[in-house]
């Protein structure tokens, strides 16, 4: 087990390209699965996009039923509870390709399979799992998740909903108000979080949706995007719930909520990938058809630059998402082999990579928004019109930065969890951080390294970016210790450095693996994307590192660290950025599609 990668270790351990999983490693079964999901998405969702934009909630529900009949709602559910029992990568893949057509359906799908079904699969006892999970896996029933309240959003544990035990000790009576509940309009069962007495932590309950049992709802919310995803306020007024419907133990609700969100976060990253592929493909096709000044706009550098950057972000998101998914799957399998139950193995496997889940949630949700924004720009006036799919893609993308924990919360979590892991001794940050200190005191080498091999310089730069992060985060921890939590602006800057390191490294490793198997000449565009992504990452690390250093260090310490930062963000051979973009776009324009 010790040999297996731990979460957050990417920062202090070199990862070899042969040890990461990429989309080129899908099995035949996974490719068949992907193709059938794509077919479902094109036929049922993409072809009826207007229905989702016209708030046809019934159509969303009908598509969910069809997905259930195809087994797509039970991909992650063990076979003994009516699911397909597939591994983590396959569940990511289904989530990826089913989510690209409309945010309305992908929200319904994500809320049902993730936070609606999974808490019972992972925390339920045998009776609860047998009773509820098969119906949820088949789509006979739909699930919803009631955590957020008017006064409890990011601070999820502060909810006011109460659960009171009856005198005979047989039922709990739940009273309170929940808001932004996805799938509320058509769900059969809620996972409800409530507080018993003056407990410090909330408790989870499985509550069947029976209007005669004190459950009422407001009308559907009017939202910027995801218009045909049912979102309502739900009110519980002395709703009776049998004691055997408590999920896990008393006060375990906060833990259930947080762990469900970890899985939700990496799945949300996956859910933003195919949306990007579709926006890019649509933009390329439009740019090839649209003639201005007697020439297709796809031949203009200003447009070509946009297409190259959109493709690069999407490629990076794919690289990092599937790398982390396979790390989680390996961890789960290792735990099962050690004798853990499916529940325990899944929970611990995902929890181990919570840092990566937060990184991905932030990075990919921000990329999909930028991608859709540039999609509108390429379409020009048509992009602003409801007649093209760009404006709905842009509106649907916006929620991704808010739900499953806002990106601000996730940025702080990624660095916070990393520091906690270091304190527990799970990831040795202090050793490498003090080595960086020593290196700064020493005399730098003036030899010109041999960078003749593919990505030799890029991998050396990634190593240096990690040193830059260790230097900045280490300096901040030394200065503020446990008070670092209250210095949110520094945490946010450190998080941006961390995110770029993981995304850039994943992109380079995926591409190196591809070039080794297919030959460099067959991977020219991917090599260009990996180099372009890294170029931007270096800039961000330099900028955020500088912002941090000049905000917490003074005098000699500040000068020393700024000098270190310059050393760690330096190229020997600068890339030709315009040339890289040209390489990428030439391929896109020739293929008339996102073809990577």
């Amino acid at each position: 087990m010790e040999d297996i990668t731990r979460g957050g270790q990417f920062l202090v351990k070199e990862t070899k390209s042969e040890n990461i999983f990429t989309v080129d490693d899908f099995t035949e079964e996974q490719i068949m699965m992907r193709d059938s999901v794509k077919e479902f998405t094109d036929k049922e969702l993409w072809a009826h996009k207007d229905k989702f934009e016209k708030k046809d909630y019934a159509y969303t529900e009908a598509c969910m039923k069809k997905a259930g009949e195809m087994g797509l709602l039970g991909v992650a559910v063990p076979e003994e509870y009516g699911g397909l029992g597939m591994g983590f990568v396959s569940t990511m893949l289904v989530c990826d390709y089913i989510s690209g057509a409309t945010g309305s359906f992908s929200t319904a799908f994500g809320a049902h399979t993730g936070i609606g079904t999974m808490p019972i699969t992972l925390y339920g006892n045998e009776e609860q799992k047998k009773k509820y999970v098969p119906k949820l896996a088949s789509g006979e029933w739909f699930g919803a998740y009631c955590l957020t309240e008017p006064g409890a959003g990011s601070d999820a544990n502060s909810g006011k909903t109460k659960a009171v035990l009856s005198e005979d000790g047989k039922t709990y009576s739940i009273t309170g108000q929940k808001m932004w509940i996805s799938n509320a309009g058509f769900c059969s069962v809620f996972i409800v979080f409530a507080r018993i007495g003056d407990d410090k932590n909330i408790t989870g309950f499985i509550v069947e949706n029976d209007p005669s049992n004190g459950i009422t709802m407001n009308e559907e919310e009017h939202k910027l995007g995801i218009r045909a995803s049912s979102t309502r306020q739900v009110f519980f007024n002395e709703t009776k719930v049998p004691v055997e419907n408590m999920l896990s133990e008393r006060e375990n609700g906060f833990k259930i909520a947080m762990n469900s969100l970890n899985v939700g976060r990496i799945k949300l990253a996956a859910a933003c990938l195919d949306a990007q592929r579709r926006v890019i493909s649509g933009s390329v096709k439009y740019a090839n058809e649209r003639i201005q000044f007697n020439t297709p706009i796809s031949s203009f550098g200003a447009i070509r630059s946009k297409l190259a950057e959109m493709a690069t972000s999407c490629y990076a998101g794919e690289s990092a998402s599937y790398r982390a998914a396979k790390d989680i799957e390996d961890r789960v399998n290792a735990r099962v082999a050690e004798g853990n139950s499916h529940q325990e193995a899944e929970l611990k496997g995902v929890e181990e990579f919570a840092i990566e889940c937060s990184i991905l949630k932030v990075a990919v949700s921000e990329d999909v928004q930028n991608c859709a924004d540039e999609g509108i720009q390429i379409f020009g006036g048509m992009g602003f019109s409801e007649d093209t799919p760009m404006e709905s893609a842009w509106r649907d993308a916006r929620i991704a930065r808010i739900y499953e924990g806002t990106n601000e919360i996730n940025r702080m979590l990624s660095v916070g969890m990393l520091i906690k892991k270091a304190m527990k001794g799970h990831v040795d940050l202090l050793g490498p951080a003090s080595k960086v200190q020593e290196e700064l005191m020493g005399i730098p080498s003036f030899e010109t390294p041999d960078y003749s091999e593919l990505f030799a310089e890029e991998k050396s730069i990634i190593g240096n970016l990690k040193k830059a992060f260790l230097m900045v985060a280490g300096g901040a921890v030394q200065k503020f210790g446990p008070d670092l939590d209250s210095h949110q602006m520094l945490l946010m800057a450190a998080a941006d450095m961390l995110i770029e390191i993981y995304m850039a490294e994943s992109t380079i490793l995926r591409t190196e693996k591809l070039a080794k198997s297919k030959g460099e000449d067959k991977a020219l565009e991917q090599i260009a994307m990996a180099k372009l992504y890294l170029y931007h990452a270096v800039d961000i690390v330099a900028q955020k590192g500088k912002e941090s250093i000049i905000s917490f260090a003074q005098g000699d310490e500040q000068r020393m660290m700024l000098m270190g930062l310059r050393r760690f963000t330096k190229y020997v051979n600068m890339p030709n950025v315009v040339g890289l973009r040209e390489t990428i776009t030439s391929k896109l324009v020739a293929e008339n599609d996102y073809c990577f």
Side-chain angles (χ1 to χ4, degrees), residues 394-426:
W394 185 85
R395 285 186 290 101
D396 282 354
R398 188 59 187 85
I399 187 63
R401 284 152 55 198
I402 298 170
Y403 57 19
E404 308 284 350
T406 65
N407 284 11
E408 291 68 32
I409 289 279
N410 273 293
R411 278 187 161 87
M412 289 183 291
L413 272 176
S414 60
V415 179
M417 290 187 289
L418 185 66
I419 292 168
K420 274 202 186 80
K421 278 198 154 196
M423 299 301 182
K424 281 186 181 164
H426 290 183

Side-chain angles (χ1 to χ4, degrees), residues 189-203:
V189 65
F190 296 107
I191 309 283
V192 180
F193 294 92
R195 192 178 312 278
I196 303 171
D198 294 327
D199 285 359
K200 179 171 175 267
N201 293 314
I202 49 181
T203 298

Side-chain angles (χ1 to χ4, degrees), residues 34-212:
R34 179 189 68 188
D35 292 345
S36 74
V37 173
K38 270 166 105 165
E39 191 184 342
F40 168 83
T41 305
D42 284 332
K43 200 170 92 200
E44 306 293 344
L45 309 177
W46 188 257
H48 300 280
K49 210 167 159 61
D50 58 323
K51 290 186 178 172
F52 294 103
E53 294 316 306
K54 288 179 184 144
K55 305 191 180 181
D56 189 340
Y57 301 105
Y59 189 68
T60 301
E61 189 181 350
C63 291
M64 285 288 288
K65 283 251 183 279
K66 280 185 185 152
E69 285 155 20
M70 287 177 69
L72 300 175
L73 300 180
V75 181
V77 172
E79 289 176 48
E80 60 265 38
Y81 307 111
L84 298 177
M86 289 186 154
F88 201 81
V89 171
S90 297
T91 65
M92 279 284 281
L93 181 147
V94 170
C95 186
D96 174 349
Y97 283 93
I98 212 163
S99 301
T102 162
S104 297
F105 180 83
S106 68
T107 299
F109 177 84
H112 170 76
T113 54
I115 50 186
T117 305
M118 196 180 335
I120 307 179
T121 316
L122 296 187
Y123 285 96
N125 58 37
E126 204 49 44
E127 288 71 48
Q128 291 168 342
K129 286 190 288 190
K130 284 199 173 110
K131 182 173 179 183
Y132 294 107
V133 176
K135 286 179 174 166
L136 291 165
S138 67
E140 181 190 338
W141 279 22
F142 294 117
Y145 177 87
C146 299
L147 178 61
T148 303
E149 298 182 15
S154 297
D155 182 7
N157 203 23
S158 67
K160 302 267 186 290
T161 299
K162 286 275 175 231
V164 181
L165 188 60
S166 61
E167 283 184 15
D168 62 8
K170 289 186 177 164
T171 57
Y172 279 97
S173 172
I174 294 184
T175 302
Q177 174 185 4
K178 298 288 183 179
M179 70 192 301
W180 313 127
I181 306 308
S182 297
N183 297 354
F186 61 85
C187 80
S188 325
V189 65
F190 296 107
I191 309 283
V192 180
F193 294 92
R195 192 178 312 278
I196 303 171
D198 294 327
D199 285 359
K200 179 171 175 267
N201 293 314
I202 49 181
T203 298
F205 295 90
I206 303 169
V207 182
E208 293 182 27
N209 183 8
D210 170 7
S212 70

